[in-house]
Amino acid sequence: MDEEPGLRARRRAQTRHDIAAAAAALFARQGVAQVTAAQIADAAGVSLRTFYRYFDTKEQAVAPVLEIGAARWQELLASADGEARAAISAAIDEVLTVDGPDAAEQMLGIRPLLRALTDDTELRAVWHRVNHDSEELICGIIAEHEGWASDRLRARLLAVAATDAIRIGLEEWAASEAGTTGAGSPAQLARLAFDVLAPR
């Protein structure tokens, strides 16, 4: 008997997550250039054929990790009350504020990937695609939230400010030795960037 569609979708999502987590861990330990797709597949407990059903390249395998709470970020904006700028500031705080050791470990695990962007053009392309896709989704959410259906430019500018604030905050944090909370943390830097890019 075939699996229910919901169960299949959950299993596919779990497999995708497992591959992404394995890729991120290997990249962090060995460096992107030293890791092969076959090693990632082996670490994730899947065949190489299965790996390529989910991702075209080893760099693309870390896209789910680099999304860094994008789904939660979009959900917060879509359900927010009040004006969009305030909702974006609140969402930055909620998504990037690290609460507890597990969250800190997860954030610190992303740091080597972000540092590798400088030297790996394919990984950098994945990062830019992740950010572009998020920007497009946020633009639609903002346009609907603010009633700006006929003013896409205005919605897009705010979406760009929001997305770039998070991107820049994470990149600057990764290049430093700052911790995951307090001064120099991803949340603090992203809030600062958003205030500069979208002043009140």
Side-chain angles (χ1 to χ4, degrees):
M1 185 175 179
D2 290 341
E3 293 178 350
E4 295 180 5
L7 179 58
R8 287 199 301 273
R10 288 194 296 274
R11 287 189 174 177
R12 284 195 298 269
Q14 185 61 52
T15 299
R16 188 170 184 267
H17 173 271
D18 291 346
I19 294 171
L26 286 169
F27 288 171
R29 285 200 306 268
Q30 301 177 27
V32 179
Q34 308 306 317
V35 175
T36 67
Q39 289 174 313
I40 296 170
D42 185 60
V46 301
S47 68
L48 186 58
R49 182 176 179 180
T50 296
F51 174 92
Y52 282 118
R53 280 206 300 266
Y54 286 85
F55 302 103
D56 293 333
T57 68
K58 65 181 184 180
E59 289 84 2
Q60 288 179 16
V62 292
V65 175
L66 291 175
E67 286 167 1
I68 310 173
R72 177 61 179 151
W73 158 254
Q74 291 150 19
E75 177 187 303
L76 287 168
L77 292 183
S79 62
D81 295 322
E83 58 97 16
R85 194 193 180 286
I88 290 167
S89 293
I92 287 173
D93 276 339
E94 179 154 342
V95 172
L96 293 184
T97 295
V98 172
D99 185 15
D102 289 345
E105 183 179 356
Q106 184 177 10
M107 183 66 77
L108 289 169
I110 294 165
R111 180 174 256 161
L113 296 179
L114 296 174
R115 288 178 172 176
L117 296 172
T118 304
D119 300 317
D120 193 296
T121 55
E122 289 193 34
L123 188 62
R124 191 159 62 247
V126 172
W127 176 235
H128 287 307
R129 179 180 58 77
V130 164
N131 281 278
H132 179 268
D133 290 350
S134 182
E135 177 194 309
E136 285 289 307
L137 286 168
I138 291 170
C139 180
I141 292 168
I142 291 171
E144 182 174 347
H145 186 278
E146 296 294 296
W148 293 345
S150 60
D151 192 359
R152 178 175 164 80
L153 176 61
R154 190 176 178 189
R156 187 176 182 191
L157 289 171
L158 194 53
V160 168
T163 306
D164 279 356
I166 291 179
R167 178 182 62 79
I168 292 167
L170 285 164
E171 289 175 357
E172 290 299 311
W173 168 76
S176 75
E177 296 300 329
T180 57
T181 60
S185 67
Q188 189 264 335
L189 293 174
R191 284 195 304 271
L192 174 61
F194 186 62
D195 285 343
V196 171
L197 292 168
R200 290 178 177 83

